[in-house]
Amino acid sequence: MNKYPHLFEPIQIGTQTVKNRVFMPPISTNLANKCYVTEELIQHYGARARGGVGLIVSEGVTVEPTYIYLPGDMSIHDDSFIPGWEKLCAEVHKYDTKILAQLFHPAYMAFPIPGTPQLIAPSHVGPYYAKSAPRPVTKEELKVLIRQFGEAALRVKTACGDGVEIHAAHAHGLLGGFLSPLYNKRCDEYGGDINGRLRLTLEVIEEVRRVCGRDFIVDVRISGDEYSDGGLNINDATYVAKQLEKAGVDMIHVSGGTTIKRGSSIPAPGTKMGTHSELAAHIKKRVNVPVATVGRITEAWIAEEMIANGMADACMIGRANLCEPEFANKAREGREHEIRPCIGCLRCLNGIMFGKRVACTINPSFELVNEDTLEPAAVKKNVLVVGGGVAGMEAAFVAKKRGHHVVLCEAAQELGGQARLAAVPIGKQDLTRVIQFMARRLYDNGVDVRLNTPVTQEMLENEMKKIADENLAELILTTGGTGFSMRDCMPEATIAVTERIVPGIPEAMRAYSMQFTKRAMLSRATAGIRKQTLILNLPGSPKAVRECLEYVISELGHGIEILTGEASNCARK
């Protein structure tokens, strides 16, 4: 029986029918290559479509070439981008999922790469971190930009996209900046009161509709409240929503906050789910087009409640779909316990702001070859994992998935390690769900989990002796095993074992216990899918630390963090 009948009910958006109300909002990935669609982008969005999402709104897609939002963002400013978009749309459509491109001009929030001209804005006002003020965009330039929005939308339609989202929220970029009194200080027809500030967005909508017709979804994203003194409030947003409906939009995506006021538009961990839902509910009562809500909707039950209670017509579920591509399918099939839980940590945001590819603390599967696409190991081994914290559980799961026989030993009476302690503070409750999820995977996949089982010399010499004298065995010591020393437990076998983990390890390094991060566990267990990052606990002298550091970097090419006993002696590469 479907526990979420409202969430998985079809919905009409304009002239098109979407199969359910689990929508995915724009989340930057930095997976594009010089603004072009890549195979990784296709697989990324394809995985969410295959996972059951009804409608996907892509990350921001720029409409002209001069101003770049992020180093790896997407664009569709000329026809050369159409073939890539055709492939992307075809992949998503294989699963009966709709896809909209979020059209965006970064304006005064563009990435200042060398050669970029002075940034443009509604007026001479820019974000607090800007090194210099932007210049006001001219009315002649606005005419060109309006045309470019229309041309970009037409290319999306040519590529078989289902529509576009016009980004006018968060006081962000060109349209969001024009709409917000925080940035728009103009005194011409594009400034002043709310009608003047809204004018540019309405003219963009008119142009998009003119060139693309009625059978093309036009969605507009707005902030229901900017949560800032002097910014837009719910009364402003309600009026804006009514004008958007009159302009012929098919859906209104109600968010909140600004990109400058930290935590307002993208809520932090520990904040309430459905952060902006009350804004959406207020607006929904006053318009007749579908209204979508967004903001920390990480579980299916809260999405069902908001739709059933009339607060929204659809839920934009972003980070939860990033963390668990099969979120929708698992919820619909009653397999919620198998959903990889999003903890709202914003790791997915932090890296991309510095030009790095998207990543997730809980889901390591952001490569084409990943945890979800592992192939069986050519040689099956006996693997002993010492420590049942997050790193140990991940290592044990991946090793088991590759076909190895895995024994995980945990000295405590429960799995979780330090994550259990980390879940205690206020706002950290979601970490308990991570422990539950990871532990359940071990039992479901047949890992031999042994609680209340400290690894001793006697165990290694007897039951676990294969680790020392057989090539078909591996030992993985995780960060939780701080009291475990391979030298103390198995002095004769230590060198043999560690050399199979890191071949050619020098004498200076053999005396120390080796510890691994979660990512290292994944890379080790998957035989080099990712570049290893080792964390070595080295209580020795700075000279020994330097020797180990220089060896690992020069000979092995691994990323490494070496910690000595004193903070002043820490070295990071």
Side-chain angles (χ1 to χ4, degrees), residues 6 48 51 81 142 167 193 228 275-276 306 325 330 346 397 438 450 511-512 514 546 553 573:
H6 297 88
R48 276 74 198 171
F81 294 92
L142 288 179
H167 188 8
D193 67 10
S228 301
T275 313
H276 309 306
M306 288 190 293
K330 291 179 178 180
L346 297 180
F397 168 72
M438 298 188 77
R450 304 183 185 184
Y512 303 111
M514 300 186 65
R546 283 195 301 272
I553 291 176
K573 292 290 182 180

Side-chain angles (χ1 to χ4, degrees), residues 84-384:
W85 274 89
E86 287 178 330
K87 294 178 182 178
L88 173 58
C89 294
E91 179 66 23
V92 169
H93 288 159
K94 282 168 36 177
Y95 307 100
D96 192 27
T97 298
K98 305 292 184 182
I99 182 167
L100 313 183
Q102 188 193 65
L103 300 187
F104 179 63
H105 190 297
Y108 54 94
M109 292 182 175
F111 200 82
I113 61 176
T116 301
Q118 184 179 10
L119 304 185
I120 61 173
S123 46
H124 283 294
V125 180
Y128 69 88
Y129 56 78
K131 294 183 179 179
S132 60
R135 67 171 179 83
V137 60
T138 67
K139 287 190 286 185
E140 290 72 22
E141 289 173 317
L142 288 179
K143 292 178 182 178
V144 174
L145 289 167
I146 292 168
R147 188 189 73 243
Q148 289 173 327
F149 270 95
E151 291 170 347
L154 184 58
R155 293 187 189 102
V156 174
K157 184 176 182 179
T158 302
C160 296
D162 301 292
V164 295
E165 175 173 272
I166 297 170
H167 188 8
H170 309 147
H172 189 45
L174 187 70
L175 301 183
F178 262 84
L179 187 55
S180 175
L182 295 173
Y183 292 98
N184 189 340
K185 309 299 180 180
R186 298 174 76 103
C187 297
D188 60 13
E189 61 267 37
Y190 289 98
D193 67 10
I194 194 167
N195 292 300
R197 300 197 309 273
L198 179 59
R199 179 171 180 165
L200 178 59
T201 298
L202 294 179
E203 290 181 355
V204 167
I205 294 168
E206 181 182 11
E207 178 67 7
V208 169
R209 187 62 82 194
R210 183 185 70 82
V211 298
C212 294
R214 286 298 313 170
D215 295 331
F216 188 73
I217 295 174
V218 177
D219 159 38
V220 179
R221 191 179 203 188
I222 63 172
S223 285
D225 192 320
E226 291 182 340
Y227 308 132
S228 301
D229 292 340
L232 294 171
N233 57 50
I234 185 60
N235 296 323
D236 300 318
T238 303
Y239 177 80
V240 167
K242 291 179 178 179
Q243 306 314 305
L244 296 176
E245 181 181 15
K246 291 178 182 178
V249 305
D250 299 306
M251 183 172 71
I252 300 173
H253 177 180
V254 179
S255 184
T258 73
T259 53
I260 300 302
K261 186 174 182 180
R262 296 179 183 274
S264 62
S265 60
I266 306 176
T271 53
K272 69 176 184 178
M273 289 194 286
T275 313
H276 309 306
S277 59
E278 293 177 4
L279 303 176
H282 184 91
I283 290 173
K284 175 175 162 53
K285 292 177 181 178
R286 291 157 178 86
V287 296
N288 297 303
V289 294
V291 171
T293 187
V294 70
R296 197 153 161 68
I297 306 172
T298 58
E299 298 181 53
W301 70 266
I302 186 69
E304 172 72 13
E305 283 292 298
M306 288 190 293
I307 295 172
N309 296 336
M311 301 183 75
D313 297 293
C315 288
M316 293 279 183
I317 302 176
R319 285 174 285 173
N321 272 305
L322 199 69
C323 186
E324 175 55 80
E326 291 285 329
F327 178 94
N329 285 343
K330 291 179 178 180
R332 188 185 70 254
E333 296 166 4
R335 297 186 290 132
E336 297 92 337
H337 64 282
E338 295 181 20
I339 294 176
R340 185 186 282 107
C342 170
I343 61 174
C345 66
L346 297 180
R347 174 67 184 87
C348 48
L349 173 66
N350 295 341
I352 62 104
M353 299 306 295
F354 295 97
K356 298 179 180 179
R357 57 186 296 122
V358 67
C360 176
T361 300
I362 308 303
N363 180 7
S365 302
F366 278 92
E367 308 286 346
L368 289 179
V369 181
N370 57 58
E371 183 185 87
D372 297 324
T373 61
L374 293 176
E375 295 183 0
V379 178
K380 304 299 188 291
K381 298 183 178 183
N382 298 304
V383 177
L384 170 62

Side-chain angles (χ1 to χ4, degrees), residues 469-491:
D469 59 18
E470 284 191 13
N471 238 357
L472 300 181
E474 295 286 354
L475 171 68
I476 299 177
L477 175 63
T478 69
T479 55
T482 54
F484 177 86
S485 169
M486 291 189 292
R487 181 180 58 177
D488 295 337
C489 291
M490 40 191 295

Side-chain angles (χ1 to χ4, degrees), residues 396-526:
F397 168 72
V398 175
K400 181 65 178 181
K401 194 168 182 180
R402 297 205 70 209
H404 301 299
H405 172 69
V406 183
V407 176
L408 184 148
C409 293
E410 168 55 50
Q413 63 182 356
E414 295 180 281
L415 294 171
Q418 296 298 315
R420 299 182 64 83
L421 182 62
V424 171
I426 294 173
K428 298 297 183 180
Q429 175 68 18
D430 284 335
L431 291 176
T432 63
R433 297 171 57 222
V434 175
I435 297 170
Q436 288 178 325
F437 168 77
M438 298 188 77
R440 188 179 290 112
R441 286 197 311 181
L442 299 184
Y443 293 112
D444 289 348
N445 285 274
V447 173
D448 184 355
V449 177
R450 304 183 185 184
L451 303 177
N452 300 304
T453 307
V455 176
T456 63
Q457 180 177 351
E458 181 181 1
M459 174 185 291
L460 292 171
E461 290 177 345
N462 296 314
E463 184 178 0
M464 302 299 177
K465 188 178 179 182
K466 288 184 178 181
I467 288 181
D469 59 18
E470 284 191 13
N471 238 357
L472 300 181
E474 295 286 354
L475 171 68
I476 299 177
L477 175 63
T478 69
T479 55
T482 54
F484 177 86
S485 169
M486 291 189 292
R487 181 180 58 177
D488 295 337
C489 291
M490 40 191 295
E492 298 302 323
T494 299
I495 295 176
V497 174
T498 56
E499 283 189 337
R500 283 205 298 278
I501 296 176
V502 182
I505 199 165
E507 188 66 34
M509 206 181 278
R510 290 174 180 166
Y512 303 111
S513 61
M514 300 186 65
Q515 302 176 326
F516 296 79
T517 64
K518 178 182 175 183
R519 178 169 290 190
M521 291 299 89
L522 178 63
S523 67
R524 176 58 197 162
T526 58

